[in-house]
Amino acid sequence: MTVPFLDLKAINAQYRDELVAAATHVIDSGWYIQGAEVKAFEEEFAEYCGSKYCIGVANGLDALTLTLRAWKEMGKLKEGDEVIVPANTYIASILAITENRLKPVLVEPDEATFNLCPDKTAAAINSNTKAIITVHLYGQLSAMPELMQLADKHELLVLEDAAQAHGASINDRKAGSCGHAAAFSFYPGKNLGALGDAGAVTTDDEGLANIIRVLGCYGSQKKYENLYQGVNSRLDEIQAAMLRVKLRYLDAEIQRRQEVADYYLDNIQNSLIKLPVINKRESHVWHLFVVRSNKRDALQSYLAECGVETLIHYPIPPHHQEAFKKCASKALCLTEAIHQSVLSLPMGPYLTIDQMKQVITAVNNFQ
Ligand SMILES: *Cc1c(COP(=O)(O)O)cnc(C)c1O
């Protein structure tokens, strides 16, 4: 039997009756955009994260892009300003910067956690630096207290890319309430996944929240009057209804993911494989369980023969992408080494003990 990398059908099947009831409620309401479900989800998710405001948008990339755009409208950023971002992130974190004609400054991560390292971040700050996008990669919260201290010292804005880290916490502060604003994705495969595209921004800044909301609605606060040259980026009622159901089970799913991770960490033993390093148990919500190996490609083929599906997050670093070939980029040796050695093992709240054992046996037998 194959252990699937991610079984979305199994995840959503657990809540099928509630999801169907919630969808039916929206269908029968006759109201599909900007209604009661979005409003309720925004309140519930803000409360979950411990932030004052939540603004639903169409997807995670828009959540990132519109936050930077709003800071530009507020005069806090201007074209050409430098934004520090980890070099090993998913492409969306960087697209949000370039889309706003800001300059991404790619910084090598901490090798143990894959997240921004406060020291390397400090070394990249100059007088043009105006913001930091910190990515809680694979589900582990970045070193937020240290990064916020650094940001305060240099008066920098901090945007959390929390697309992989719903519910991760550090000193009782959750992802979404650690920076000046946070962007979430509810892409179906994320830990809190809709049944289509969806995203949100959380923040304690009322002014920022208002501008993001207006920007996502054609730049219009009052119908047919436009304050900004905005876009159309809204969270649908039906997706908000799906998310409200799934938010109620998020903590239970995180706990299951942590149990799976504990089991892997306790039982995988192979000198060819490097296990992930965690800061504190609650700081990692295990969106992905990523191991490293110098024989990554051989490991992946061997695991496939053993019926274990794996994926690579991510095969090509952003600075080697065709889309960014015109941007001058320095050598980023650690990032390149990470991209050549990472492999994501099956991870999810539905994994059975037999499936976990199959993964562990296969990984341990690799030579
Ligand atoms: C998924 C993801 C995004 C983008 O989210 P979408 O909803 O797919 O636009 C951004 N950043 C990170 C780190 C992600 O994993």
Side-chain angles (χ1 to χ4, degrees), residues 28-98:
D28 292 347
S29 76
W31 194 277
Y32 308 113
I33 298 276
Q34 289 186 311
E37 293 293 333
V38 169
K39 189 164 184 293
F41 174 71
E42 287 175 342
E43 285 169 11
E44 289 160 9
F45 194 64
E47 195 194 330
Y48 179 83
C49 295
S51 64
K52 282 195 191 147
Y53 306 96
C54 170
I55 310 99
V57 295
N59 54 62
L61 174 58
D62 282 1
L64 290 161
T65 308
L66 289 175
T67 304
L68 295 177
R69 170 81 194 274
W71 278 333
K72 282 174 77 186
E73 298 293 351
M74 293 166 88
K76 295 187 171 190
L77 293 176
K78 60 175 191 320
E79 265 188 46
D81 283 348
E82 292 186 7
V83 181
I84 289 175
V85 64
N88 59 322
T89 185
Y90 179 58
I91 202 73
S93 329
I94 295 166
L95 290 173
I97 300 171
T98 52

Side-chain angles (χ1 to χ4, degrees), residues 55 62-84 93 96-97 100-102 129-134 144 148 151 155-161 176 178-183 201-216 228:
I55 310 99
D62 282 1
L64 290 161
T65 308
L66 289 175
T67 304
L68 295 177
R69 170 81 194 274
W71 278 333
K72 282 174 77 186
E73 298 293 351
M74 293 166 88
K76 295 187 171 190
L77 293 176
K78 60 175 191 320
E79 265 188 46
D81 283 348
E82 292 186 7
V83 181
I84 289 175
S93 329
I97 300 171
N100 277 293
R101 297 177 187 280
L102 301 160
T129 311
K130 292 294 176 305
I132 298 173
I133 294 186
T134 184
M144 291 311 295
M148 291 310 291
E155 293 180 46
L156 307 178
L157 297 162
V158 176
L159 172 55
E160 298 171 71
D161 181 340
C178 300
H180 300 114
V201 178
T202 56
T203 182
D204 280 349
D205 182 340
E206 185 178 11
L208 177 70
N210 288 339
I211 295 177
I212 291 170
R213 193 176 291 291
V214 171
L215 282 173
Y228 307 104

